[in-house]
Amino acid sequence: MSISDLLFGKIKATFTRVIPDMGSHRSGEFLIKQNLAPLMGRRDAAYEFACKLSQIDIFSCDSERQAEICVALKNCLESSIRDTEDILNMLSSPDTVKREKNYLILLGAINRMLLVWVELILTREHWRDNAESLSHWSDSATLSVLRLDEEMLGDCEIAVVGRIKNIFEGSQKGILRYRSYMTKSFSGNYLERYTKAFEHYQSKYRSEYDWVDK
């Protein structure tokens, strides 16, 4: 399987959008609040796993594993984005809405960086696999020059991945502080629902990407 097949075949929604115990319809403020805690738990589990993935020594891995890490990161971020958008629809406090919108902007920024990484992986593979054909169309595009182009793409990829890692590292303290702030406002019942969802989805991510800790 080529790296491009791996990327296109595996970039998908990781888990179903419906929390099992959330119910199929929202019916008033009570049910919205019931849904909010487990939805936040799932969102936070996805983000936490993405953060863990970002700290892997990615370029010590082979090309296929690098692509798998990219796919896993993207799936986690997209799951977090969808859940944050749903969370915003449930909130009424202006301060909390503002914080969640800021969180969504951060998630979107990381996701855009991941899109750049995907394109760099695909472009470098295309350049490498088609260097001989490309060299026919330009007097200056010798195989040695095209190899330099491929190396340049590799350098760009290293820079982008490094920046993704730095964004996660730089944001983590603030994310954990916000998570603590939100969960402290939950009642005992809501905190239990949050924790149950968080641990459940953490376990799912560990199971789906069981190679992370190997």
Side-chain angles (χ1 to χ4, degrees):
M1 178 184 290
S2 72
I3 299 301
S4 56
D5 289 338
L6 179 68
L7 286 166
F8 286 128
K10 289 192 174 182
I11 290 179
K12 62 185 187 332
T14 307
F15 302 120
T16 176
R17 296 194 68 181
V18 180
I19 297 286
D21 59 355
M22 283 177 64
S24 57
H25 299 285
R26 289 183 294 176
S27 56
E29 185 177 351
F30 175 77
L31 185 54
I32 290 174
K33 288 183 178 180
Q34 287 286 310
N35 292 347
L36 182 61
L39 193 59
M40 282 188 165
R42 183 172 70 180
R43 186 269 305 278
D44 292 348
Y47 183 87
E48 196 66 25
F49 198 80
C51 186
K52 181 177 182 177
L53 287 166
S54 75
Q55 303 309 301
I56 294 173
D57 185 6
I58 291 167
F59 294 104
S60 69
C61 305
D62 61 34
S63 295
E64 185 170 333
R65 180 66 78 208
Q66 290 174 31
E68 287 178 335
I69 294 168
C70 179
V71 168
L73 263 166
K74 196 150 190 351
N75 285 338
C76 289
L77 257 293
E78 288 178 348
S79 177
S80 291
I81 287 169
R82 288 192 301 271
D83 284 344
T84 303
E85 289 170 342
D86 288 342
I87 287 165
L88 277 164
N89 289 330
M90 298 178 179
L91 297 174
S92 56
S93 166
D95 287 344
T96 307
V97 167
K98 183 178 180 179
R99 292 188 184 97
E100 286 291 329
K101 283 183 176 179
N102 286 338
Y103 196 178
L104 187 59
I105 289 169
L106 171 66
L107 296 175
I110 299 172
N111 196 44
R112 286 179 180 274
M113 294 289 280
L114 287 167
L115 284 170
V116 174
W117 186 14
V118 169
E119 287 301 324
L120 284 169
I121 291 173
L122 295 173
T123 302
R124 186 157 54 90
E125 182 189 42
H126 183 78
W127 220 251
R128 182 182 62 248
D129 293 347
N130 297 283
E132 189 171 349
S133 296
L134 290 166
S135 68
H136 287 296
W137 298 102
S138 172
D139 292 337
S140 61
T142 62
L143 288 175
S144 60
V145 170
L146 290 169
R147 289 193 192 98
L148 288 174
D149 291 337
E150 185 188 339
E151 289 178 11
M152 177 271 294
L153 291 167
D155 291 341
C156 290
E157 188 180 345
I158 290 170
V160 167
V161 171
R163 185 61 191 134
I164 290 169
K165 179 178 181 178
N166 290 339
I167 293 171
F168 273 107
E169 287 179 342
S171 305
Q172 187 66 352
K173 184 182 290 187
I175 294 295
L176 292 176
R177 184 167 57 246
Y178 176 56
R179 192 181 301 169
S180 175
Y181 164 80
M182 288 299 296
T183 54
K184 280 180 181 177
S185 70
F186 288 154
S187 67
N189 176 53
Y190 291 160
L191 181 59
E192 182 180 355
R193 291 167 64 80
Y194 170 90
T195 303
K196 183 178 179 181
F198 183 82
E199 292 176 352
H200 172 71
Y201 283 98
Q202 274 197 321
S203 177
K204 279 205 166 197
Y205 281 112
R206 286 194 299 267
S207 177
E208 178 158 345
Y209 304 112
D210 58 358
W211 42 263
V212 170
D213 293 317
K214 291 182 180 178

